[in-house]
Amino acid sequence: MLLNVIESKDTIKINFFKLKTSKVVDDLIMFLNSIKDNKKKIVLDFTGINNKTYSNTHTTMSGIIDYYKSKGLDIEVLDKGYISATSLKEPVHISSDNDLENKSIFDKVIKFDNTSVDIVADSIINQIKYLFVCEKNFLPALSWCLKEIMDNVIVHSGTNQGLIMAQVHHRRRLVNISIFDSGLGLLSTLSESGEFSPKNELEAIDLALTHKVSGNRNIGQGNGMWGLKQIVRNNKGHLSVMSGHAIKIFDYEKDEEEIYDNLAVLGENNQCTRIDFSLNFDNVIDIKESLGNYSVYETINSDIENMENENDWIIFDVKKQAILGTGTRQSGKQLRKYLINIMNTSDKKIVIDFKDVDMVSSSFADELIAQLILEVGKDVYKERFVLSNVNEYCNIIISSSIRQRVDF
């Protein structure tokens, strides 16, 4: 057993020194299931962990803690550093966009229900678009995956809520998502449908990843899990589906597959399901190839649609979009990435509108306009972008920044 357990008269203390292996989670579940005297305080001590750990461990650990607390165990969590910052012991509940104002949604365990699915998904997308330049269709595809899988939890798990954690990896240029629920599990859900009879959990996982297979055809159409698999495969990403005793792992970059079927479970009616997937910002997602005629993207790009004018041009309002103002290099860099993401999502002309912008710094102008020209190329810039409502002072600064960077 990988757990370090110290038991006294009134307390059971469990010390953790690593969280990078699923064996730790299994050992914890088996140990907590074996406790006969639930009057003792259980202290889970994570202060010995100093490194950043993966999102799937955090969502699972957080779900385990919540489950055993609901069963009457007195659990105290000691944490510090990254573990503390992730809100593992008390997940964040987001009820409105204001809850995340000027805060990062990444590296936090978030509890969601049917009132917050859109808020959480949209927040992840809105923060990524300012941080990373993404290839064509990446953002709408990720948005769809997030909403579909969180909705699956609400509809099929029997818990009406779940946990999600998103991590972004700057060096590897990918986003990793983990979504966990402590509900019935795929085997029970599909078996109770009356339409399917999976023999075991691995078979249930395969069924769940099949087109038009749903735990309740009166509610769902069976597109979510299948669609997620298609999109992750098309992106050459990673996908793992854990339910009950089994987990299936797909590495579409290496074209490899792993299977395990000896995992510990919380209880008979709490088999749990966890969906983990990662997508690479630099890999194009071909939506038609991924989903065929299953059209789900008509409403996803609503933020872009809201920018369109009567001429069918996209009006990018610099004043409105510059959350950090127009005085810093960081702000200019964020807007440039968002502009390129818009360009990679839509074929329409983009007007960079400086209406009501009184002044910009040279650093902001360099990052937003001059570096934009360098990144997309002069010909693409002239074809796709146009500046509008630039006052005399901003024009001088922008022109100077362009001259210093580009032979324009």
Side-chain angles (χ1 to χ4, degrees), residues 175-191:
V175 61
N176 187 71
I177 305 291
S178 178
I179 299 173
F180 174 90
D181 72 76
S182 57
L184 298 169
L186 296 175
L187 180 60
S188 294
T189 301
L190 290 171
S191 297

Side-chain angles (χ1 to χ4, degrees), residues 41-299:
K41 178 186 281 292
I42 310 294
V43 179
L44 305 181
D45 188 350
F46 296 96
T47 59
I49 297 174
N50 299 312
N51 299 324
K52 185 174 179 178
T53 48
Y54 293 117
S55 57
N56 56 2
T57 306
H58 286 266
T59 55
T60 308
M61 276 292 183
S62 191
I64 290 171
I65 292 167
D66 186 62
Y67 170 79
Y68 286 106
K69 279 183 175 180
S70 74
K71 294 300 179 183
L73 288 185
D74 181 9
I75 297 179
E76 179 184 355
V77 177
L78 304 179
D79 55 17
K80 68 175 185 178
Y82 182 74
I83 299 289
S84 177
T86 62
S87 303
L88 179 146
K89 66 180 177 183
E90 192 171 346
V92 177
H93 182 74
I94 297 172
S95 57
S96 73
D97 294 327
N98 295 331
D99 293 341
L100 280 170
E101 191 172 5
N102 298 324
K103 297 177 184 176
S104 173
I105 196 169
F106 303 115
D107 300 293
K108 288 181 178 59
V109 181
I110 295 169
K111 182 178 287 187
F112 65 87
D113 56 28
N114 63 340
T115 67
S116 54
V117 166
D118 277 6
I119 295 170
V120 173
D122 291 347
S123 296
I124 291 171
I125 297 301
N126 287 336
Q127 292 194 21
I128 285 177
K129 71 189 181 188
Y130 287 108
L131 291 172
F132 298 92
V133 171
C134 305
E135 273 292 353
K136 188 175 179 63
N137 296 325
F138 181 93
L139 291 173
L142 174 59
S143 176
W144 182 82
C145 291
L146 289 168
K147 293 180 180 181
E148 283 286 333
I149 303 307
M150 282 194 282
D151 184 61
N152 274 358
V153 171
I154 305 300
V155 173
H156 300 298
S157 71
T159 62
N160 299 318
Q161 64 180 22
L163 300 173
I164 182 171
M165 181 169 167
Q167 289 178 319
V168 289
H169 299 271
H170 291 263
R171 183 178 60 82
R172 297 168 62 196
R173 288 191 52 78
L174 58 82
V175 61
N176 187 71
I177 305 291
S178 178
I179 299 173
F180 174 90
D181 72 76
S182 57
L184 298 169
L186 296 175
L187 180 60
S188 294
T189 301
L190 290 171
S191 297
E192 290 174 6
S193 71
E195 190 175 351
F196 307 101
S197 303
K199 297 182 181 66
N200 52 51
E201 283 127 341
L202 283 171
E203 194 170 306
I205 290 173
D206 284 336
L207 267 173
L209 293 168
T210 303
H211 196 200
K212 297 183 179 180
V213 171
S214 174
N216 187 337
R217 289 300 296 269
N218 294 323
I219 300 174
Q221 296 177 309
N223 291 313
M225 293 277 286
W226 166 80
L228 171 67
K229 182 180 179 180
Q230 297 299 103
I231 286 171
V232 175
R233 174 191 283 155
N234 192 263
N235 182 261
K236 298 189 183 303
H238 294 71
L239 170 66
S240 72
V241 181
M242 181 276 288
S243 191
H245 296 282
I247 185 170
K248 204 159 190 179
I249 304 168
F250 305 89
D251 183 339
Y252 292 114
E253 184 180 17
K254 297 178 180 178
D255 195 23
E256 294 177 350
E257 185 178 306
E258 295 178 70
I259 295 173
Y260 303 93
D261 60 359
N262 57 351
L263 306 181
V265 297
L266 299 181
E268 184 179 349
N269 297 318
N270 299 91
Q271 297 287 307
C272 305
T273 300
R274 191 187 68 229
I275 311 297
D276 306 311
F277 65 96
S278 62
L279 296 172
N280 192 304
F281 300 124
D282 295 330
N283 292 346
V284 175
I285 297 174
D286 187 322
I287 294 171
K288 287 186 178 180
E289 182 181 315
S290 297
L291 302 180
N293 293 324
Y294 179 42
S295 178
V296 295
Y297 291 90
E298 294 175 1
T299 61

